[in-house]
C-alpha cells in the first residue's frame, strides 16, 4: 500500500470515528426530549418505552421536573405499567417534582405493588430529599399493614434502627410504629440486647435503642403489653428505668387508656434503684389530672422523703397532677426538706393555684429567708387577686430578694388592696424594688394618684422622683388631682407637683395656667405653677407666663422670668428683655442673669433698642447682655448663621461707654459692675484699657477679672485690627508694666494670665523684655509666652537664634509651648545650648498656675 | 497490506478478544454471586442485588431462570421479576407456570413479568387471572397491567367487567389499570367503554375519567366517524367539574384527528377553555389549539 492510500484510509477512519461520536452524542442529548415527546403524544407502548429509557438512565425525576400535568400523568401511568422495582423507586423519587394530585396518585398506586415495592421504598427512605422520604413512608406503612407485607417491611427496616441519619431513624419509627403489635418484638428485642451486635458500633447500638424507645412510645397501646410484661419486671435496672420513661411518655397519647400504666408505675416507684424510682415518679406526673388518685398521690408523697433526685421528680409530678391535697406536704417539704428540689417546689406549688395559698401563707412567715423567697415566688406565680395581699405583705420583708419578687409580681398583679404597702415600698432602698413598685402604681392608674401625690412631699428626693415618674407614666389621668398639690403648704409637694405637671406637658397646661392666673392663690403656689409651665417647654406656656410677668409680687415675677427662660421659646424674649426695666432690682438682676445667656429670637434687636430708651441702669444691663452675646464662645458659631450680633455692629459704639460707666460707678450694683467688667472683654474700647487698669492693684477683689478682661480685649483687638493694633499694644504694655512693678505674686499671676490672653501679637515685646527684665520677672515672662501657645512659637524660635541674654529663657518658653518639632530641634542642640532644668521647672510651675486661672470661667 | 500491518491487526483483534472474554467471565462471576444474594430474606438487600443484576444486562438476568423453581416463594418472585427484565418472549413459557404458584407474591411477580416479556401466549392465562375473583386484588392488578402491555383485544370484555367493580379505594388500582388497558386495546367496544367512563353519571372516580380521556386520544382511527364520537365525548369532558379530567380532555382533543365538521366546534370549545380557572386546563387548551 502506498503512502497516499494509507493516509487516505487513516483520514477516513478518523473522520468516521469523529462523525460516529457526534451522532452518538447528539442521540444521547435528544433522548430525554424525545422521551418526553413520546410521553405527551405516544401510544401506551411508546409511553412505556419512553419511561423505560428514562428509568435506565435514572432520569425520571430530572426529566419530569416542571413538565405539564398531562406529561406527568402519562409518566406515572407508564411507570406503573412498567412495574419494575427500579421504576417504582424512580416513581417515588419523582413525587416531590410532581403536582400534588399526580404525586398523590403515584403514592397511592405504589401500594398496589405490594412486597415488590418494599426494596425501592426503603431505598427512598434514605434519600436526602424530605419529600422523597415522605412519599416512601406512606406506601411502606400501608404495605406493612398487609399480612404478607408486615414481616417483610419490619425485616427490611430493622437494620436501619441504628442508622446514622436522624431522618432515617425517624422514618423507621414513622413506618413501623403504626404497624403495632407485629413491630413491637423488634423494638423489645433491641432493648433487651445487652451489647452491640457483631457488625454494630456502640454508637449505632445506642441509636438503635433510642429508636426502639421512640417506636414503642409512638406505638402507644400495642406496646403496653410487651413493655409491662417484659421490661417492667426485668432484672436490669436500665430496662426498668426505660420502661418507666416510656410509660410516662405514653400517658398523654394513650388518652382514656392511660389508667393501664398506673399499676406498673406504682410498682416501679417502689423499686430498689433510685434511678428507676425517679423515672417512675416523673412518669406518674405525666398523667396530669388523671393522676388524682389516692394511691398515686400517696406513692408520690412518700417519695418526698427520698433521695433529692427522686424527691425533685415527685415534687414536679405532684405539681403536674395539681391535687389541692398536695399543698400541705409540698409546703412542709419546702420548709424542712427542700434540698435539691427548690425550683421544682416553686413550680409545683404554683401549679396548684389558689388552693395552695393557705399553706403558703405559713411558709411566708418562716424565719428562713430562702423558704420565704420560694414561697413568695410560688404566690407570685399563682397570680390571682387572692395572692395580692400576701405579696403586698412581703414588700416589708427583711430579705431584699423576697421584696424584689413581691414587688415584681405586684407590678403585674397589683390591685387596690396593695396601695398602702406599695406606698411605703416607694421608700425601699433597692432600685429593683422601687422600680417595680413604680410599675405597680402605673398599673393601678387613677387609684394610685392620691397616694403618689402624698409621697411627692415625703422630703426624700428619690421617693418623690419615683412617685413623680409614676404619675407621669399614668399620664393625663393624673392631671385632675395634681393642681391641688401646687397649692399645698408642703414645699416639697409643690416643687415635685410642678416637676410632674411640667413633664406631663400639654394635657396639664390649662389646669396649671389657672393656678398661675389665680390672684388669690399664694405666691408660692403660683410660682410652682410657673415652674411647671417653664418645664413643659411648650410654646403655649409662654402666653400665661407673659401675663403673669406683670404680677404684683416681685418673687413671682422672678420665678416667671426663670420659667420663661426655661421654655426656650422665642416668644419669651420680649418678657425677658422687659424684665431689665422691672421696678424691682432683684427682678432686674434675675432678668440680667437670664438675658445675658439668651440668644433666642430677636433678643439682640430688642436689647439694642433698650440701649436708647431705658433708664441708665437698664441701658447698662442691656449693654452687658449685648457684650456677653458677642463673646467669642458664641459669635464664631452663631455669627455665620444669624448674622453679626448687635454688639459687634451698630451697638458697639454705645455699649463700651455704658460698660465703662457701669464699671467705674461705685453706686452701681456690685453684680452689674462685675458683669460689666467682664463685658469689657468683648465690648470694650480704648478708654476701657484705662478703666480696667485701675483695678490692677493688689487689694482689688476684681484684679483677676480685670487682668483677664484686659488681655482678652487686647487679644480680640489684635485679631480684628492686626498685630499693630494700638489697643492691643496698650493692653499689653499696661499689663507688662503692672507685672514688673508689683510686688504681689497674686497680681503678677493675674497680669501674666492677662498677657498670655493677648496672644501671639504680644510675644515679640515680651521676648524683647526678657533681655532687660529683672531675674524675678523673667520666669513670669517665659511662662506667659508659653501659655500663649503655638502663635508665640515662631517668635520664640527666632529669639532663641539670636545671641542675646534672652536666648535661654526663649528656649524655656519654647519647651512650655510644646511644639513637637521645636522640642525635637532643641533636643538635638549641644548640652550647653539647652535650657537649664532649674529655669524650666521654675517657669513651668508659673505656667501651670496661669493655665489654671485661664481655665476658670469668667462669669 | 504488508505482513507487519497484518500481524498488528491480528494482534489487536486477539487482544480485544481476550479483554472481552475476561470481562465476560468477570460479569458471569459477579452475576453468579449476585444471584446468590437474591436468596436472602431481606427485601431491601435483595433489591440492591436485583438492581446490580439488571445493570449487568439480559444475559445476567437470564441466569435467574433456574431460581424460578426455588423452594422459597420470595426467591421465585424475585427471579420472575429479573426474567421479566430481559424482555425476551422466549422465557415466557418458563414463567407461565408461576401464575399458578401458591404464593401471592410469586403470582403477582409472574403476572408482571409476562407483560414485560411481551409474549402473546400469556394473554389467555393472564385473562384467567384477571377474571378470577378469588385472586388478591394486587395479582389481578398486575395481570391487568400486563394485558395493557400486550394490548390484547380479547381482553376487552374482562376489562369492562373490572370497571363494573365498586369504585372503592381498594379497587382503585385495578380499575385504573383496566381503563389504561382499554386505551391500549383500541377496539370499538373499548372505545365505547372509554366514552362511557368519561361521563360523571357513569363513573364517579376522577382518576378513571382522567385516564379514559387520556386513553381516547389515540384510540380511534384518525378522521373516522368513530373519531367524531370520541371528539364529542371529549368536548363533554371539557366541562367536567374535575380539573384533572378537563386537562386530559383538552390535551386529548389536541392529539386526535377529528372529522372536518367537528373541527370548528372543538376549536371554539378549546378557545373557551382558555378562560378556564385552572392553569393547566388553559395551558392544555393553548397547546391543543396550536
Amino acid at each position: 500500500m502506498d503512502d497516499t492510500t494509507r493516509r487516505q484510509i487513516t483520514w477516513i477512519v478518523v473522520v468516521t470515528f469523529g462523525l460516529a461520536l457526534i451522532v452518538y452524542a447528539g442521540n444521547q442529548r435528544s433522548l430525554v426530549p424525545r422521551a418526553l415527546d413520546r410521553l405527551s403524544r405516544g401510544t401506551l407502548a411508546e409511553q412505556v418505552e419512553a419511561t423505560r429509557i428514562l428509568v435506565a438512565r435514572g432520569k425520571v425525576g430530572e426529566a419530569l421536573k416542571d413538565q405539564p400535568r398531562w406529561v406527568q400523568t402519562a409518566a406515572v401511568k407508564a411507570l406503573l405499567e412498567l412495574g419494575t422495582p427500579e421504576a417504582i423507586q424512580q416513581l417515588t423519587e419523582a413525587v416531590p417534582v410532581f403536582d400534588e394530585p399526580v404525586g398523590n396518585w403515584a403514592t397511592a398506586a405504589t401500594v398496589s405493588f405490594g412486597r415488590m415495592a418494599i426494596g425501592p421504598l426503603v431505598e427512598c427512605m434514605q434519600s436526602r430529599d424530605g419529600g422523597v422520604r415522605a412519599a416512601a413512608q406512606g406506601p411502606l406503612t400501608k404495605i406493612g399493614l398487609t399480612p404478607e407485607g408486615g414481616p417483610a417491611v419490619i425485616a427490611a427496616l430493622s437494620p436501619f434502627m441504628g442508622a446514622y441519619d436522624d431522618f432515617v431513624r425517624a422514618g423507621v419509627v414513622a413506618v413501623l410504629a403504626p404497624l403495632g403489635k407485629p413491630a413491637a418484638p423488634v423494638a423489645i428485642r433491641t432493648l433487651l440486647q445487652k451489647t452491640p451486635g457483631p457488625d454494630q458500633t456502640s454508637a449505632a447500638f445506642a441509636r438503635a435503642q433510642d429508636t426502639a424507645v421512640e417506636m414503642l412510645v409512638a406505638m402507644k397501646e400495642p406496646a403496653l403489653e410487651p413493655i409491662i410484661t417484659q421490661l417492667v419486671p426485668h432484672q436490669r435496672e436500665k430496662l426498668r428505668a426505660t420502661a418507666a420513661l416510656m410509660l410516662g411518655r405514653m400517658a398523654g397519647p394513650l388518652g382514656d387508656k392511660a389508667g393501664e400504666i398506673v399499676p406498673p408505675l406504682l410498682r416501679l416507684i417502689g423499686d430498689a434503684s433510685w434511678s428507676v424510682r425517679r423515672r417512675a415518679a416523673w412518669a406518674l406526673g405525666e398523667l396530669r389530672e388523671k393522676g388524682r388518685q389516692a394511691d398515686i398521690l400517696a406513692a408520690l408523697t412518700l417519695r418526698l422523703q427520698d433521695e433529692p433526685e427522686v424527691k425533685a421528680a415527685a415534687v414536679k409530678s405532684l405539681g403536674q397532677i395539681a391535687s389541692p391535697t398536695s399543698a400541705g406536704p409540698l409546703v412542709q417539704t419546702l420548709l424542712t426538706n427542700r434540698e435539691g428540689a427548690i425550683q421544682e417546689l416553686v413550680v409545683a406549688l404554683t401549679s396548684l393555684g389558689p388552693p395552695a395559698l393557705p399553706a403558703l401563707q405559713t411558709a411566708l412567715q418562716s424565719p428562713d429567708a430562702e423558704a420565704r423567697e420560694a414561697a413568695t415566688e410560688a404566690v407570685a406565680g399563682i397570680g390571682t387577686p387572692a395572692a395580692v395581699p400576701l405579696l403586698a405583705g412581703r414588700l416589708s420583708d427583711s430579705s431584699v430578694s423576697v421584696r424584689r419578687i413581691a414587688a415584681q409580681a405586684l407590678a403585674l398583679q397589683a390591685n387596690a388592696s396593695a396601695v398602702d404597702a406599695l406606698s411605703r415600698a416607694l421608700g425601699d432602698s433597692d432600685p429593683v424594688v422601687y422600680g417595680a413598685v413604680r410599675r405597680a402604681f402605673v398599673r393601678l392608674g387613677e387609684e394610685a394618684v392620691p397616694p403618689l401625690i402624698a409621697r411627692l412631699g415625703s422630703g426624700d428626693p428619690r421617693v418623690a422622683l419615683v412617685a413623680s415618674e409614676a404619675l407621669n407614666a399614668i399620664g393625663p389621668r393624673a392631671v385632675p388631682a395634681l393642681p391641688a398639690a401646687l397649692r399645698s403648704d408642703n414645699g416639697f409637694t409643690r416643687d415635685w407637683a410642678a416637676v410632674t405637671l411640667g413633664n406631663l406637658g400639654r394635657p396639664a397646661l390649662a389646669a396649671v395656667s389657672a393656678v398661675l392666673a389665680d390672684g388669690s392663690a399664694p405666691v408660692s403656689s403660683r410660682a410652682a405653677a410657673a415652674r411647671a409651665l417653664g418645664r413643659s417647654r411648650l410654646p403655649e406656656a409662654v402666653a400665661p407666663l407673659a401675663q403673669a410677668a406683670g404680677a404684683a409680687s416681685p418673687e413671682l415675677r422672678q420665678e416667671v422670668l426663670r420659667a420663661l427662660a426655661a421654655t426656650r421659646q422665642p416668644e419669651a424674649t420680649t418678657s425677658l428683655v422687659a424684665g431689665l426695666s422691672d421696678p424691682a432690682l432683684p427682678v432686674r438682676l434675675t432678668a440680667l442673669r437670664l438675658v445675658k445667656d439668651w440668644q433666642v429670637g430677636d433678643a439682640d434687636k430688642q436689647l439694642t433698642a433698650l440701649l436708647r430708651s431705658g433708664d441708665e441702669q437698664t441701658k447698662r444691663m442691656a449693654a452687658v447682655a449685648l457684650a456677653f452675646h458677642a463673646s467669642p464662645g458664641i459669635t464664631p458659631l452663631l455669627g455665620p448663621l444669624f448674622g453679626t450680633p448687635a454688639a459687634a455692629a451698630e451697638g458697639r459704639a454705645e455699649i463700651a461707654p455704658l460698660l465703662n460707666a457701669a464699671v467705674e460707678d461705685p453706686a452701681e450694683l456690685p453684680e452689674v459692675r462685675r458683669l460689666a467688667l467682664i463685658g469689657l472683654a468683648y465690648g470694650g474700647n480704648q478708654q476701657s484699657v484705662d478703666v480696667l487698669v485701675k483695678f490692677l492693684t493688689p487689694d482689688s477683689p476684681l484684679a483677676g477679672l480685670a487682668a483677664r478682661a484686659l488681655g482678652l480685649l487686647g487679644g480680640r483687638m489684635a485679631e480684628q485690627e492686626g498685630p499693630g493694633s494700638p489697643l492691643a499694644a496698650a493692653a499689653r504694655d499696661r499689663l507688662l508694666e503692672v507685672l514688673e512693678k508689683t510686688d504681689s505674686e497674686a497680681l503678677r499671676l493675674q497680669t501674666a494670665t492677662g498677657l498670655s490672653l493677648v496672644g501671639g501679637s504680644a510675644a515679640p515685646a515680651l521676648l524683647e523684655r526678657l533681655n532687660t527684665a529683672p531675674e524675678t520677672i523673667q520666669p513670669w515672662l517665659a511662662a506667659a509666652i508659653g501659655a500663649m501657645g503655638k502663635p508665640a512659637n515662631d517668635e520664640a524660635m527666632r529669639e532663641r537664634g539670636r545671641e542675646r541674654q534672652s536666648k535661654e529663657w526663649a528656649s524655656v518658653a519654647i519647651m512650655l509651648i510644646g511644639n513637637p518639632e521645636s522640642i525635637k530641634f532643641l533636643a538635638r542642640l549641644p548640652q550647653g545650648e539647652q535650657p537649664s532644668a532649674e529655669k524650666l521647672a521654675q517657669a513651668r510651675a508659673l505656667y501651670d498656675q496661669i493655665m489654671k486661672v485661664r481655665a476658670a470661667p469668667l462669669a | 497490506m504488508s505482513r507487519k500491518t497484518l500481524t498488528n491487526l491480528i494482534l489487536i483483534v486477539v487482544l480485544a478478544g481476550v479483554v472481552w472474554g475476561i470481562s465476560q467471565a468477570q460479569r458471569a462471576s459477579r452475576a453468579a454471586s449476585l444471584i446468590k444474594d437474591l436468596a436472602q430474606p431481606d427485601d431491601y438487600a435483595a433489591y440492591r442485588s436485583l438492581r446490580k443484576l439488571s445493570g449487568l444486562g439480559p444475559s445476567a438476568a437470564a441466569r435467574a431462570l433456574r431460581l424460578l423453581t426455588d423452594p422459597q416463594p420470595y426467591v421465585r418472585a424475585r427471579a420472575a421479576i429479573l426474567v421479566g427484565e430481559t424482555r425476551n418472549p422466549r422465557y415466557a413459557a418458563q414463567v407461565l407456570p408461576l401464575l399458578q404458584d401458591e404464593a401471592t407474591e410469586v403470582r403477582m411477580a409472574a403476572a408482571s413479568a409476562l407483560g414485560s416479556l411481551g409474549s402473546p401466549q400469556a394473554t389467555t392465562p393472564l385473562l384467567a387471572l384477571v377474571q378470577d375473583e378469588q385472586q388478591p386484588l394486587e395479582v389481578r392488578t398486575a395481570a391487568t397491567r400486563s394485558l395493557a402491555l400486550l394490548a390484547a383485544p380479547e381482553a376487552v370484555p374482562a376489562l369492562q367487567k373490572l370497571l363494573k367493580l365498586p369504585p372503592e379505594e381498594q379497587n382503585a388500582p385495578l380499575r385504573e389499570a383496566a381503563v389504561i388497558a382499554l386505551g391500549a386495546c383500541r377496539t370499538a367496544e373499548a372505545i365505547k367503554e372509554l366514552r362511557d367512563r368519561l361521563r360523571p353519571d357513569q363513573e364517579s372516580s376522577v382518576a378513571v375519567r382522567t385516564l379514559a380521556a387520556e386513553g381516547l386520544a389515540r384510540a380511534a382511527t384518525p378522521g373516522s366517524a368513530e373519531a367524531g364520537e370520541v371528539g364529542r365525548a371529549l368536548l363533554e369532558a371539557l366541562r367536567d367539574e374535575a380539573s384533572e379530567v378537563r386537562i386530559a380532555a383538552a390535551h386529548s382533543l389536541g392529539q386526535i384527528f377529528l372529522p372536518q365538521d367537528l373541527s370548528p366546534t372543538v376549536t371554539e370549545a378549546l378557545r373557551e377553555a382558555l378562560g378556564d380557572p385552572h392553569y393547566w386546563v388553559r395551558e392544555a387548551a393553548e397547546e391543543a389549539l396550536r
Side-chain angles (χ1 to χ4, degrees), chain A residues 558 562 580 584-597 617 620-625 627-628 658-659 661-680 695 701-702 705 858-859:
Chain A
Q558 276 178 287
R562 287 191 200 101
L580 296 174
L585 284 178
V587 180
R588 284 189 178 203
L589 272 177
T590 301
L592 177 59
R593 287 179 201 127
L594 298 167
V595 169
K596 77 176 170 58
D597 299 326
Q617 192 180 48
R620 288 174 181 175
M621 287 181 169
V624 169
F628 267 82
L658 285 165
L659 293 174
V663 172
E664 287 192 307
D665 184 359
E668 185 54 272
L669 290 170
E671 187 168 355
V672 176
R673 283 186 81 188
R674 195 177 65 83
L675 291 173
L677 193 146
I678 296 166
L680 285 174
F695 288 90
L702 293 175
L705 277 182
L858 261 181

Side-chain angles (χ1 to χ4, degrees), chain A residues 635-811:
Chain A
T635 311
L637 291 171
L638 303 181
L641 293 172
F642 301 107
T644 311
E650 55 176 299
R652 170 172 295 287
E654 295 165 65
I655 291 169
L658 285 165
L659 293 174
N660 290 335
V663 172
E664 287 192 307
D665 184 359
E668 185 54 272
L669 290 170
E671 187 168 355
V672 176
R673 283 186 81 188
R674 195 177 65 83
L675 291 173
L677 193 146
I678 296 166
L680 285 174
Y682 313 121
N685 59 9
Q686 187 74 41
Q687 192 199 339
S688 307
V689 177
D690 295 328
V691 171
L692 288 168
V693 167
K694 286 177 192 165
F695 288 90
L696 296 179
T697 60
D699 53 349
S700 170
L702 293 175
L705 277 182
R708 286 168 71 189
L710 194 54
L712 285 170
L713 178 62
R716 192 165 56 81
M717 284 301 135
E719 208 172 278
Q720 283 177 10
E721 297 171 3
S725 162
L727 199 151
R732 178 198 67 207
D733 293 345
R734 303 301 288 274
L735 284 165
L736 202 52
E737 190 183 334
V738 176
L739 174 70
E740 286 181 342
K741 284 184 179 169
T742 188
D743 293 330
S744 162
E745 282 293 302
L747 191 56
R748 278 184 184 154
L749 173 62
Q750 306 293 0
T751 47
T753 306
L755 279 168
S756 74
L757 288 168
V758 175
S761 71
L766 265 63
L767 287 161
E768 183 60 40
R769 210 53 156 255
L770 277 170
N771 291 303
T772 55
E775 277 182 15
T776 49
I777 299 303
Q778 280 173 327
W780 281 109
L781 292 172
I785 295 164
M788 283 175 190
K790 208 173 173 182
N793 188 65
D794 291 352
E795 281 300 329
M797 286 293 284
R798 261 195 294 278
E799 188 64 30
R800 200 216 65 81
R802 295 173 194 156
E803 288 303 324
R804 300 208 299 176
Q805 246 190 328
S806 62
K807 185 172 180 172
E808 190 176 7
W809 280 111
S811 298

Side-chain angles (χ1 to χ4, degrees), chain A residues 34-313:
Chain A
R34 271 190 292 144
L36 289 173
D37 188 60
R38 277 195 213 166
L39 279 174
S40 179
R41 301 168 201 282
T43 62
L44 180 65
E46 288 168 336
Q47 288 172 334
V48 171
E49 191 52 37
T51 49
R52 198 190 299 276
I53 291 165
L54 292 176
V55 168
R57 279 159 182 76
K59 286 184 179 291
V60 172
E62 186 188 321
L64 292 175
K65 195 174 179 187
D66 299 328
Q67 286 302 313
R69 179 71 64 81
W70 53 88
V71 176
Q72 293 181 9
T73 309
V76 173
K77 184 180 79 173
L79 283 163
L80 293 174
E81 285 297 325
L82 193 57
T84 62
E86 182 81 29
I88 296 167
Q89 182 186 333
Q90 293 201 33
L91 174 64
T92 309
E93 284 171 347
V95 166
V97 307
F98 288 149
D99 293 346
E100 196 182 338
V102 182
N104 291 343
W105 178 41
T107 309
T110 309
V111 181
S112 66
F113 289 101
R115 189 169 171 177
M116 194 201 294
I118 292 173
L121 290 171
V122 171
E123 180 75 35
C124 290
M125 287 269 294
Q126 297 165 71
S127 169
R128 291 203 171 278
D129 186 335
V132 176
R133 296 197 302 273
Q137 283 171 17
L140 257 183
T141 305
K142 283 189 179 171
I143 294 167
L145 286 169
T146 61
E148 302 83 18
V153 169
I154 293 164
L157 283 179
S158 319
F160 293 96
M161 286 174 70
Y164 180 77
D165 291 319
D166 293 349
F167 53 78
V168 175
R169 298 199 306 279
V172 170
V173 172
V175 173
L176 294 186
L179 305 189
K181 269 190 179 166
V186 175
I188 295 286
R189 202 164 47 243
T190 308
L191 286 172
L192 290 173
Q193 196 181 329
K194 268 186 183 172
T195 51
D199 299 327
Q200 202 175 26
T201 64
S202 50
F205 173 62
R207 287 195 296 267
Q209 295 217 318
D210 288 346
T211 309
V213 169
E214 294 303 321
M215 198 194 299
L216 289 166
V217 169
M219 214 176 270
K220 294 183 275 189
E221 205 185 335
L224 276 178
E225 192 260 326
I227 290 173
I228 293 169
T229 56
Q230 296 185 56
L231 300 183
V232 169
H234 203 279
Q235 58 179 11
R236 274 162 61 199
E237 172 191 327
K238 190 188 166 196
L239 287 177
R240 297 198 302 278
T242 305
L245 172 80
M246 288 192 288
L247 292 172
R249 288 182 59 191
M250 287 158 80
L254 276 172
D256 295 339
K257 305 265 183 181
E260 293 181 35
I261 68 167
V262 175
L265 285 175
L266 286 177
R267 176 181 168 179
L268 290 172
I269 203 171
D271 198 280
S273 157
W274 70 265
S275 69
V276 178
R277 294 200 301 278
R278 178 169 68 101
R279 286 272 171 83
W282 167 85
L284 284 167
E286 295 302 305
L287 288 162
R288 313 276 162 167
E289 62 276 12
K290 287 189 200 117
R292 289 181 193 168
Q293 298 169 24
D295 50 353
I296 293 174
L297 292 171
L300 287 169
T301 306
L302 192 64
R303 290 302 130 206
L304 294 177
Q305 307 303 322
D306 208 325
E307 301 282 334
E309 291 85 354
V310 183
K311 176 175 61 184

Side-chain angles (χ1 to χ4, degrees), chain A residues 370-439:
Chain A
E370 194 182 51
R372 290 202 308 280
E373 190 179 326
T376 310
E377 211 173 318
V379 173
I382 289 170
T384 59
V388 173
L390 299 182
L391 291 168
R394 287 303 97 206
L395 286 174
S396 53
D397 197 285
S398 58
S399 159
V400 70
S401 303
V402 174
R403 298 204 303 278
R404 282 181 178 183
I405 294 163
Q408 283 169 332
L410 286 169
L412 302 170
Q413 305 168 24
N415 58 29
S417 68
V419 166
D420 289 343
L422 285 169
S423 191
R424 282 192 297 276
L426 273 175
D428 199 290
S429 59
D430 184 69
V432 176
V433 175
Y434 63 70
V437 168
R438 184 176 67 82
R439 293 199 300 279

Side-chain angles (χ1 to χ4, degrees), chain B residues 27-111:
Chain B
R27 280 163 78 102
S29 154
R30 190 164 155 70
S33 155
L34 288 167
I35 286 282
K36 274 184 204 159
D37 288 346
L38 285 184
Q40 57 190 313
D42 182 345
D43 281 283
Y44 175 62
Y47 169 61
R48 291 171 71 97
S49 304
L50 210 72
R51 276 184 67 183
K52 286 172 191 162
L53 276 167
S54 300
L56 292 176
S59 60
R63 287 171 170 269
L65 281 169
R66 63 182 173 81
L67 295 180
L68 288 173
T69 52
D70 193 277
Q72 284 294 344
Y74 53 80
V75 179
R76 296 199 296 277
R78 290 165 192 165
I81 292 166
L82 208 52
V83 171
E85 291 197 12
T86 62
R87 297 167 66 200
N88 189 339
R90 279 194 301 139
Y91 301 138
Q94 282 149 288
V95 177
L96 270 170
L98 295 185
L99 289 180
Q100 310 300 324
D101 198 287
E102 59 186 14
T104 304
E105 62 182 300
V106 179
R107 296 200 298 279
M108 192 178 156

Side-chain angles (χ1 to χ4, degrees), chain A residues 501-510 536 538-540:
Chain A
L501 285 162
N503 288 342
L504 280 166
R506 203 159 270 123
L509 195 70
S536 75
L538 291 167
E540 303 95 301

